[in-house]
Amino acid sequence: MKFSILIAILFDLLAKRKMTATYLAEKYEISQRTVYRYIDLMSTTIPVYVKRGRNGGIYISDNYKLPVGFMTKDEYEAAIEALSAMYSQLPQERFLDAKRKLSAQVKAEARDLTLSGDVGNILVDGGTWGDTRTFSEKVHLVEECIRDRILLEIEYHSRVGEKTQRRIEPHVLVFKQGVWYVFAFCHKQRAFRLFRLGRIVATLKTDETFTKRPFAREDIPLNYWTNEKTVTANFEIDDNAFADAQDWLGVENMQYKNGKWQAEVTLPDDESLVRKIVSLGAGMKVVAPKELCARVAEQAAKISALYQ
């Protein structure tokens, strides 16, 4: 496999976002089968996908950028200077295009990506510590499409890992309990839905715009989990777990009694509840109900058994 061709295809996709296998095969003098083999390999680490049928092709997610730190500042400067020198000797547009792309990458890495792109009264970073800004780029892209009313094509993974292609009209971003969602009208379901941004693998801006559909705040299912099974739990929390507990439960639900922090709160009783409690370690103890105590003890025993 010629990795130089694979890298060249990646840069082609970054420049044009959509290409056909026929075009790439002709450009690099390889078969279409080889093109698809390269795309399969690339898709293991980069959000590229193939869309069949009318207007199909090979796409790269619009929110994907080269990783921050792909090259050092000195390497970027050296490459830009070299391209300028090459253009002065051989004035071809491709050298200017490459120079513009590298310059744009330098600017993208230098700025602080926030929800609105500028630091105002509220700064929200949806990424994790050490994030290469891939997730933040996704949030920024969705916000842009909400503002400009641009229809998005997305590849979405369900809770069980099922992949589906969706066409959505994004209306508003929602951030709740540490999770980003986009409230959008789904063409497949013909109704508004909440989509977790973390489950959107690829996003593609279309050339289509949409007219904003009327909705009220009450239409956004912010409390959808309360319609499912819930549990009212009592906790005792040590000082060493206080900060994490208040981030999760809310400081307004915590009281200091008898030398310990205590909390009583109603929570969604899904598969993530026990995992969340265990993640806080020995600093959080479930006092009631007993059934939840037993489930946490069982999970802790399973974890302990892994290290025996």
Side-chain angles (χ1 to χ4, degrees), residues 50 102 172 206 230 260-261 264:
V50 177
L102 286 179
V172 66
T206 70
T230 60
K260 283 186 177 291
W261 287 98
E264 180 178 334

Side-chain angles (χ1 to χ4, degrees), residues 126-196:
T128 58
W129 295 109
D131 182 21
T132 59
R133 297 182 180 172
T134 301
F135 191 87
S136 299
E137 289 279 4
K138 190 189 305 184
V139 175
H140 187 71
L141 174 68
V142 172
E143 187 209 7
E144 177 186 330
C145 291
I146 292 171
R147 183 192 65 222
D148 298 335
R149 300 180 184 179
I150 298 174
L151 190 142
L152 274 172
E153 291 186 358
I154 64 173
E155 181 178 302
Y156 192 71
H157 285 199
S158 69
R159 181 185 292 271
V160 296
E162 178 188 3
K163 297 181 182 180
T164 58
Q165 305 293 329
R166 307 286 186 102
R167 289 167 57 84
I168 64 171
E169 301 171 5
H171 278 60
V172 66
L173 281 164
V174 177
F175 185 69
K176 181 145 187 175
Q177 290 195 332
V179 179
W180 279 104
Y181 303 85
V182 57
F183 184 62
F185 185 84
C186 177
H187 284 209
K188 182 177 181 179
Q189 300 292 333
R190 302 304 305 166
F192 275 105
R193 292 288 186 270
L194 268 180
F195 295 95
R196 285 189 180 225

Side-chain angles (χ1 to χ4, degrees), residues 16 18 28 94 103 129 138 158 174 210 221 249 257 266:
K16 298 184 178 180
K18 172 191 172 184
Y28 295 106
R94 61 195 177 106
S103 298
W129 295 109
K138 190 189 305 184
S158 69
V174 177
F210 62 89
L249 303 175
K257 293 181 180 179
T266 299

